[in-house]
Amino acid sequence: LLSVASSTTQKPGQENRPAGFNIFSYIFPGMLIMFLLFIIEPSLREIQNERADGKTRRMMFSPLTGRELVTARIFSGWLLGMFVCLLAMAAGTLLFGIDWGNLLLQLALVAAACLCCSALFAMLNAFFRNKNQAGAFASPIILVFSAFGGSMLPLEQLPAGMHWIGRFTINHWFISGCRKVMDGHAPVAAILILAVAGMLCAAVAMAVLPRRLNA
């Protein structure tokens, strides 16, 4: 007589998953932060368009200062990111049954991530010469962030030697922070790192970008 035996193999990081594990809650944060980067980037690239067609020069004749203009751009990118994230999270809950955990912690994490994204692209535009250069460099940067940060592959499946690279990406901290909140923990490190990185990028943008706008 022949008998058939069956067994299951668990990958690292799967041992403590509950029986009701939702695959969408596992992959959705990575996709969300990648698309968030692609959505916020054109909003900040508009600085280059306004500079090229003369709108910035005309605005400089008003009482508006260069720093105020950069601050307004960063805030508008942050506001757009918040709207997109909240809409996507609501859709994830309604369509895929994702449990985001503590909403206040998730809101703080989303706010820090949106600030970091908006400030990062504002800083990068301070060093780009024109809108074509901004468009040529921004997309590869986003793809590299997504590849090493866990948006394209789960963090556990990335080679161990690449994990340290992911720590320099927005994607890594947003994804790990979302998972912590879903597991019932406070993502203090993720929120602090994203917020501090966003403020540093914003400070550089406010120091450098007004000079380029006035050039």
Side-chain angles (χ1 to χ4, degrees), residues 8-34:
T8 58
T9 303
Q10 291 182 332
K11 296 181 179 179
Q14 293 181 334
E15 295 82 358
N16 298 324
R17 292 180 185 174
F21 174 72
N22 186 344
I23 186 62
F24 294 106
S25 65
Y26 187 67
I27 64 175
F28 199 87
M31 301 301 296
L32 175 58
I33 188 62
M34 181 173 68

PDB file of all heavy atoms in Angstrom, residues 8-34:
ATOM      1  N   THR A   8       4.292  21.387   5.138  1.00  0.00           N
ATOM      2  CA  THR A   8       4.347  22.789   4.737  1.00  0.00           C
ATOM      3  C   THR A   8       5.677  23.378   5.156  1.00  0.00           C
ATOM      4  O   THR A   8       6.242  23.004   6.188  1.00  0.00           O
ATOM      5  CB  THR A   8       3.195  23.595   5.382  1.00  0.00           C
ATOM      6  OG1 THR A   8       3.287  23.471   6.798  1.00  0.00           O
ATOM      7  CG2 THR A   8       1.844  23.070   4.918  1.00  0.00           C
ATOM      8  N   THR A   9       6.164  24.274   4.346  1.00  0.00           N
ATOM      9  CA  THR A   9       7.430  24.948   4.635  1.00  0.00           C
ATOM     10  C   THR A   9       7.168  26.424   4.834  1.00  0.00           C
ATOM     11  O   THR A   9       6.499  27.059   4.018  1.00  0.00           O
ATOM     12  CB  THR A   9       8.426  24.762   3.474  1.00  0.00           C
ATOM     13  OG1 THR A   9       8.617  23.363   3.254  1.00  0.00           O
ATOM     14  CG2 THR A   9       9.765  25.415   3.803  1.00  0.00           C
ATOM     15  N   GLN A  10       7.680  26.945   5.935  1.00  0.00           N
ATOM     16  CA  GLN A  10       7.490  28.350   6.239  1.00  0.00           C
ATOM     17  C   GLN A  10       8.745  29.128   5.932  1.00  0.00           C
ATOM     18  O   GLN A  10       9.856  28.684   6.207  1.00  0.00           O
ATOM     19  CB  GLN A  10       7.139  28.544   7.728  1.00  0.00           C
ATOM     20  CG  GLN A  10       5.758  28.020   8.101  1.00  0.00           C
ATOM     21  CD  GLN A  10       5.445  28.271   9.555  1.00  0.00           C
ATOM     22  OE1 GLN A  10       6.357  28.335  10.377  1.00  0.00           O
ATOM     23  NE2 GLN A  10       4.184  28.411   9.879  1.00  0.00           N
ATOM     24  N   LYS A  11       8.561  30.297   5.351  1.00  0.00           N
ATOM     25  CA  LYS A  11       9.668  31.191   5.086  1.00  0.00           C
ATOM     26  C   LYS A  11       9.915  32.057   6.313  1.00  0.00           C
ATOM     27  O   LYS A  11       9.039  32.215   7.157  1.00  0.00           O
ATOM     28  CB  LYS A  11       9.372  32.071   3.867  1.00  0.00           C
ATOM     29  CG  LYS A  11       9.240  31.289   2.571  1.00  0.00           C
ATOM     30  CD  LYS A  11       8.982  32.231   1.413  1.00  0.00           C
ATOM     31  CE  LYS A  11       8.877  31.450   0.109  1.00  0.00           C
ATOM     32  NZ  LYS A  11       8.607  32.347  -1.035  1.00  0.00           N
ATOM     33  N   PRO A  12      11.100  32.640   6.432  1.00  0.00           N
ATOM     34  CA  PRO A  12      11.375  33.530   7.564  1.00  0.00           C
ATOM     35  C   PRO A  12      10.368  34.672   7.612  1.00  0.00           C
ATOM     36  O   PRO A  12      10.051  35.298   6.610  1.00  0.00           O
ATOM     37  CB  PRO A  12      12.791  34.053   7.260  1.00  0.00           C
ATOM     38  CG  PRO A  12      13.395  33.002   6.402  1.00  0.00           C
ATOM     39  CD  PRO A  12      12.288  32.441   5.571  1.00  0.00           C
ATOM     40  N   GLY A  13       9.871  34.948   8.805  1.00  0.00           N
ATOM     41  CA  GLY A  13       8.898  36.017   8.966  1.00  0.00           C
ATOM     42  C   GLY A  13       7.468  35.547   8.906  1.00  0.00           C
ATOM     43  O   GLY A  13       6.547  36.310   9.156  1.00  0.00           O
ATOM     44  N   GLN A  14       7.240  34.259   8.588  1.00  0.00           N
ATOM     45  CA  GLN A  14       5.881  33.748   8.478  1.00  0.00           C
ATOM     46  C   GLN A  14       5.469  32.932   9.700  1.00  0.00           C
ATOM     47  O   GLN A  14       4.315  32.544   9.809  1.00  0.00           O
ATOM     48  CB  GLN A  14       5.745  32.855   7.239  1.00  0.00           C
ATOM     49  CG  GLN A  14       5.893  33.598   5.920  1.00  0.00           C
ATOM     50  CD  GLN A  14       5.735  32.676   4.737  1.00  0.00           C
ATOM     51  OE1 GLN A  14       5.982  31.474   4.841  1.00  0.00           O
ATOM     52  NE2 GLN A  14       5.328  33.223   3.614  1.00  0.00           N
ATOM     53  N   GLU A  15       6.385  32.703  10.631  1.00  0.00           N
ATOM     54  CA  GLU A  15       6.095  31.784  11.720  1.00  0.00           C
ATOM     55  C   GLU A  15       4.993  32.294  12.637  1.00  0.00           C
ATOM     56  O   GLU A  15       4.185  31.528  13.149  1.00  0.00           O
ATOM     57  CB  GLU A  15       7.368  31.542  12.553  1.00  0.00           C
ATOM     58  CG  GLU A  15       8.475  30.823  11.793  1.00  0.00           C
ATOM     59  CD  GLU A  15       9.292  31.773  10.918  1.00  0.00           C
ATOM     60  OE1 GLU A  15       8.955  32.970  10.887  1.00  0.00           O
ATOM     61  OE2 GLU A  15      10.251  31.315  10.286  1.00  0.00           O
ATOM     62  N   ASN A  16       4.934  33.634  12.837  1.00  0.00           N
ATOM     63  CA  ASN A  16       4.004  34.183  13.802  1.00  0.00           C
ATOM     64  C   ASN A  16       2.751  34.766  13.165  1.00  0.00           C
ATOM     65  O   ASN A  16       2.021  35.511  13.797  1.00  0.00           O
ATOM     66  CB  ASN A  16       4.715  35.270  14.636  1.00  0.00           C
ATOM     67  CG  ASN A  16       5.873  34.703  15.424  1.00  0.00           C
ATOM     68  OD1 ASN A  16       5.806  33.582  15.907  1.00  0.00           O
ATOM     69  ND2 ASN A  16       6.944  35.487  15.571  1.00  0.00           N
ATOM     70  N   ARG A  17       2.519  34.469  11.905  1.00  0.00           N
ATOM     71  CA  ARG A  17       1.335  35.007  11.258  1.00  0.00           C
ATOM     72  C   ARG A  17       0.087  34.300  11.772  1.00  0.00           C
ATOM     73  O   ARG A  17       0.067  33.076  11.906  1.00  0.00           O
ATOM     74  CB  ARG A  17       1.416  34.835   9.740  1.00  0.00           C
ATOM     75  CG  ARG A  17       2.500  35.697   9.100  1.00  0.00           C
ATOM     76  CD  ARG A  17       2.530  35.470   7.619  1.00  0.00           C
ATOM     77  NE  ARG A  17       3.641  36.185   7.004  1.00  0.00           N
ATOM     78  CZ  ARG A  17       3.974  36.085   5.742  1.00  0.00           C
ATOM     79  NH1 ARG A  17       3.282  35.293   4.941  1.00  0.00           N
ATOM     80  NH2 ARG A  17       4.991  36.767   5.250  1.00  0.00           N
ATOM     81  N   PRO A  18      -0.980  35.068  12.026  1.00  0.00           N
ATOM     82  CA  PRO A  18      -2.215  34.449  12.483  1.00  0.00           C
ATOM     83  C   PRO A  18      -2.885  33.659  11.375  1.00  0.00           C
ATOM     84  O   PRO A  18      -2.597  33.827  10.196  1.00  0.00           O
ATOM     85  CB  PRO A  18      -3.071  35.660  12.902  1.00  0.00           C
ATOM     86  CG  PRO A  18      -2.542  36.795  12.096  1.00  0.00           C
ATOM     87  CD  PRO A  18      -1.077  36.522  11.944  1.00  0.00           C
ATOM     88  N   ALA A  19      -3.827  32.814  11.793  1.00  0.00           N
ATOM     89  CA  ALA A  19      -4.517  31.954  10.826  1.00  0.00           C
ATOM     90  C   ALA A  19      -5.303  32.781   9.819  1.00  0.00           C
ATOM     91  O   ALA A  19      -5.457  32.398   8.679  1.00  0.00           O
ATOM     92  CB  ALA A  19      -5.440  30.984  11.564  1.00  0.00           C
ATOM     93  N   GLY A  20      -5.809  33.952  10.265  1.00  0.00           N
ATOM     94  CA  GLY A  20      -6.598  34.804   9.376  1.00  0.00           C
ATOM     95  C   GLY A  20      -5.758  35.835   8.661  1.00  0.00           C
ATOM     96  O   GLY A  20      -6.226  36.949   8.430  1.00  0.00           O
ATOM     97  N   PHE A  21      -4.555  35.508   8.315  1.00  0.00           N
ATOM     98  CA  PHE A  21      -3.634  36.454   7.682  1.00  0.00           C
ATOM     99  C   PHE A  21      -4.205  36.936   6.350  1.00  0.00           C
ATOM    100  O   PHE A  21      -4.665  36.156   5.524  1.00  0.00           O
ATOM    101  CB  PHE A  21      -2.285  35.776   7.465  1.00  0.00           C
ATOM    102  CG  PHE A  21      -1.315  36.610   6.690  1.00  0.00           C
ATOM    103  CD1 PHE A  21      -0.731  37.719   7.262  1.00  0.00           C
ATOM    104  CD2 PHE A  21      -0.983  36.282   5.377  1.00  0.00           C
ATOM    105  CE1 PHE A  21       0.173  38.499   6.548  1.00  0.00           C
ATOM    106  CE2 PHE A  21      -0.082  37.044   4.662  1.00  0.00           C
ATOM    107  CZ  PHE A  21       0.493  38.151   5.250  1.00  0.00           C
ATOM    108  N   ASN A  22      -4.163  38.272   6.154  1.00  0.00           N
ATOM    109  CA  ASN A  22      -4.683  38.903   4.945  1.00  0.00           C
ATOM    110  C   ASN A  22      -3.508  39.284   4.055  1.00  0.00           C
ATOM    111  O   ASN A  22      -2.695  40.139   4.416  1.00  0.00           O
ATOM    112  CB  ASN A  22      -5.509  40.139   5.325  1.00  0.00           C
ATOM    113  CG  ASN A  22      -6.205  40.758   4.124  1.00  0.00           C
ATOM    114  OD1 ASN A  22      -5.864  40.471   2.978  1.00  0.00           O
ATOM    115  ND2 ASN A  22      -7.192  41.602   4.383  1.00  0.00           N
ATOM    116  N   ILE A  23      -3.391  38.665   2.900  1.00  0.00           N
ATOM    117  CA  ILE A  23      -2.264  38.912   2.015  1.00  0.00           C
ATOM    118  C   ILE A  23      -2.233  40.361   1.544  1.00  0.00           C
ATOM    119  O   ILE A  23      -1.163  40.936   1.305  1.00  0.00           O
ATOM    120  CB  ILE A  23      -2.311  37.946   0.800  1.00  0.00           C
ATOM    121  CG1 ILE A  23      -1.050  38.094  -0.053  1.00  0.00           C
ATOM    122  CG2 ILE A  23      -3.560  38.203  -0.020  1.00  0.00           C
ATOM    123  CD1 ILE A  23       0.229  37.754   0.646  1.00  0.00           C
ATOM    124  N   PHE A  24      -3.410  40.998   1.428  1.00  0.00           N
ATOM    125  CA  PHE A  24      -3.455  42.387   0.969  1.00  0.00           C
ATOM    126  C   PHE A  24      -2.837  43.331   1.995  1.00  0.00           C
ATOM    127  O   PHE A  24      -2.201  44.318   1.630  1.00  0.00           O
ATOM    128  CB  PHE A  24      -4.894  42.798   0.664  1.00  0.00           C
ATOM    129  CG  PHE A  24      -5.500  42.055  -0.496  1.00  0.00           C
ATOM    130  CD1 PHE A  24      -6.443  41.068  -0.285  1.00  0.00           C
ATOM    131  CD2 PHE A  24      -5.115  42.345  -1.796  1.00  0.00           C
ATOM    132  CE1 PHE A  24      -6.993  40.377  -1.356  1.00  0.00           C
ATOM    133  CE2 PHE A  24      -5.662  41.654  -2.869  1.00  0.00           C
ATOM    134  CZ  PHE A  24      -6.608  40.671  -2.644  1.00  0.00           C
ATOM    135  N   SER A  25      -3.028  43.034   3.278  1.00  0.00           N
ATOM    136  CA  SER A  25      -2.414  43.870   4.304  1.00  0.00           C
ATOM    137  C   SER A  25      -0.895  43.725   4.298  1.00  0.00           C
ATOM    138  O   SER A  25      -0.184  44.584   4.819  1.00  0.00           O
ATOM    139  CB  SER A  25      -2.964  43.503   5.686  1.00  0.00           C
ATOM    140  OG  SER A  25      -2.590  42.175   6.041  1.00  0.00           O
ATOM    141  N   TYR A  26      -0.414  42.665   3.691  1.00  0.00           N
ATOM    142  CA  TYR A  26       1.033  42.405   3.631  1.00  0.00           C
ATOM    143  C   TYR A  26       1.692  43.144   2.463  1.00  0.00           C
ATOM    144  O   TYR A  26       2.811  43.642   2.595  1.00  0.00           O
ATOM    145  CB  TYR A  26       1.249  40.892   3.501  1.00  0.00           C
ATOM    146  CG  TYR A  26       2.689  40.452   3.601  1.00  0.00           C
ATOM    147  CD1 TYR A  26       3.392  40.570   4.795  1.00  0.00           C
ATOM    148  CD2 TYR A  26       3.337  39.901   2.501  1.00  0.00           C
ATOM    149  CE1 TYR A  26       4.715  40.166   4.879  1.00  0.00           C
ATOM    150  CE2 TYR A  26       4.662  39.490   2.579  1.00  0.00           C
ATOM    151  CZ  TYR A  26       5.337  39.622   3.773  1.00  0.00           C
ATOM    152  OH  TYR A  26       6.650  39.222   3.853  1.00  0.00           O
ATOM    153  N   ILE A  27       0.993  43.241   1.330  1.00  0.00           N
ATOM    154  CA  ILE A  27       1.598  43.845   0.138  1.00  0.00           C
ATOM    155  C   ILE A  27       1.114  45.275  -0.115  1.00  0.00           C
ATOM    156  O   ILE A  27       1.782  46.030  -0.830  1.00  0.00           O
ATOM    157  CB  ILE A  27       1.312  42.985  -1.118  1.00  0.00           C
ATOM    158  CG1 ILE A  27      -0.193  42.934  -1.408  1.00  0.00           C
ATOM    159  CG2 ILE A  27       1.878  41.591  -0.940  1.00  0.00           C
ATOM    160  CD1 ILE A  27      -0.542  42.203  -2.689  1.00  0.00           C
ATOM    161  N   PHE A  28      -0.027  45.651   0.458  1.00  0.00           N
ATOM    162  CA  PHE A  28      -0.613  46.954   0.154  1.00  0.00           C
ATOM    163  C   PHE A  28       0.264  48.130   0.583  1.00  0.00           C
ATOM    164  O   PHE A  28       0.422  49.092  -0.180  1.00  0.00           O
ATOM    165  CB  PHE A  28      -1.998  47.067   0.802  1.00  0.00           C
ATOM    166  CG  PHE A  28      -2.871  48.135   0.202  1.00  0.00           C
ATOM    167  CD1 PHE A  28      -3.664  47.865  -0.902  1.00  0.00           C
ATOM    168  CD2 PHE A  28      -2.889  49.421   0.724  1.00  0.00           C
ATOM    169  CE1 PHE A  28      -4.466  48.842  -1.470  1.00  0.00           C
ATOM    170  CE2 PHE A  28      -3.675  50.406   0.172  1.00  0.00           C
ATOM    171  CZ  PHE A  28      -4.472  50.122  -0.920  1.00  0.00           C
ATOM    172  N   PRO A  29       0.869  48.127   1.787  1.00  0.00           N
ATOM    173  CA  PRO A  29       1.717  49.272   2.176  1.00  0.00           C
ATOM    174  C   PRO A  29       2.871  49.519   1.211  1.00  0.00           C
ATOM    175  O   PRO A  29       3.206  50.674   0.925  1.00  0.00           O
ATOM    176  CB  PRO A  29       2.215  48.878   3.575  1.00  0.00           C
ATOM    177  CG  PRO A  29       1.174  47.956   4.098  1.00  0.00           C
ATOM    178  CD  PRO A  29       0.711  47.180   2.907  1.00  0.00           C
ATOM    179  N   GLY A  30       3.493  48.454   0.714  1.00  0.00           N
ATOM    180  CA  GLY A  30       4.598  48.622  -0.228  1.00  0.00           C
ATOM    181  C   GLY A  30       4.149  49.253  -1.525  1.00  0.00           C
ATOM    182  O   GLY A  30       4.833  50.139  -2.076  1.00  0.00           O
ATOM    183  N   MET A  31       3.005  48.813  -2.040  1.00  0.00           N
ATOM    184  CA  MET A  31       2.487  49.407  -3.271  1.00  0.00           C
ATOM    185  C   MET A  31       2.054  50.852  -3.033  1.00  0.00           C
ATOM    186  O   MET A  31       2.251  51.722  -3.884  1.00  0.00           O
ATOM    187  CB  MET A  31       1.301  48.579  -3.773  1.00  0.00           C
ATOM    188  CG  MET A  31       1.628  47.124  -4.064  1.00  0.00           C
ATOM    189  SD  MET A  31       2.926  46.935  -5.307  1.00  0.00           S
ATOM    190  CE  MET A  31       2.127  47.632  -6.744  1.00  0.00           C
ATOM    191  N   LEU A  32       1.492  51.110  -1.858  1.00  0.00           N
ATOM    192  CA  LEU A  32       1.002  52.453  -1.549  1.00  0.00           C
ATOM    193  C   LEU A  32       2.137  53.477  -1.535  1.00  0.00           C
ATOM    194  O   LEU A  32       2.032  54.546  -2.142  1.00  0.00           O
ATOM    195  CB  LEU A  32       0.274  52.441  -0.206  1.00  0.00           C
ATOM    196  CG  LEU A  32      -0.190  53.803   0.326  1.00  0.00           C
ATOM    197  CD1 LEU A  32      -1.125  54.472  -0.667  1.00  0.00           C
ATOM    198  CD2 LEU A  32      -0.863  53.635   1.683  1.00  0.00           C
ATOM    199  N   ILE A  33       3.233  53.161  -0.868  1.00  0.00           N
ATOM    200  CA  ILE A  33       4.328  54.135  -0.768  1.00  0.00           C
ATOM    201  C   ILE A  33       5.021  54.319  -2.116  1.00  0.00           C
ATOM    202  O   ILE A  33       5.474  55.426  -2.434  1.00  0.00           O
ATOM    203  CB  ILE A  33       5.334  53.703   0.325  1.00  0.00           C
ATOM    204  CG1 ILE A  33       6.361  54.805   0.574  1.00  0.00           C
ATOM    205  CG2 ILE A  33       6.026  52.406  -0.036  1.00  0.00           C
ATOM    206  CD1 ILE A  33       5.770  56.090   1.084  1.00  0.00           C
ATOM    207  N   MET A  34       5.083  53.280  -2.941  1.00  0.00           N
ATOM    208  CA  MET A  34       5.689  53.437  -4.264  1.00  0.00           C
ATOM    209  C   MET A  34       4.846  54.367  -5.138  1.00  0.00           C
ATOM    210  O   MET A  34       5.381  55.290  -5.779  1.00  0.00           O
ATOM    211  CB  MET A  34       5.844  52.076  -4.944  1.00  0.00           C
ATOM    212  CG  MET A  34       6.507  52.171  -6.322  1.00  0.00           C
ATOM    213  SD  MET A  34       6.895  50.572  -7.075  1.00  0.00           S
ATOM    214  CE  MET A  34       5.219  49.957  -7.389  1.00  0.00           C
TER     215      MET A  34
END
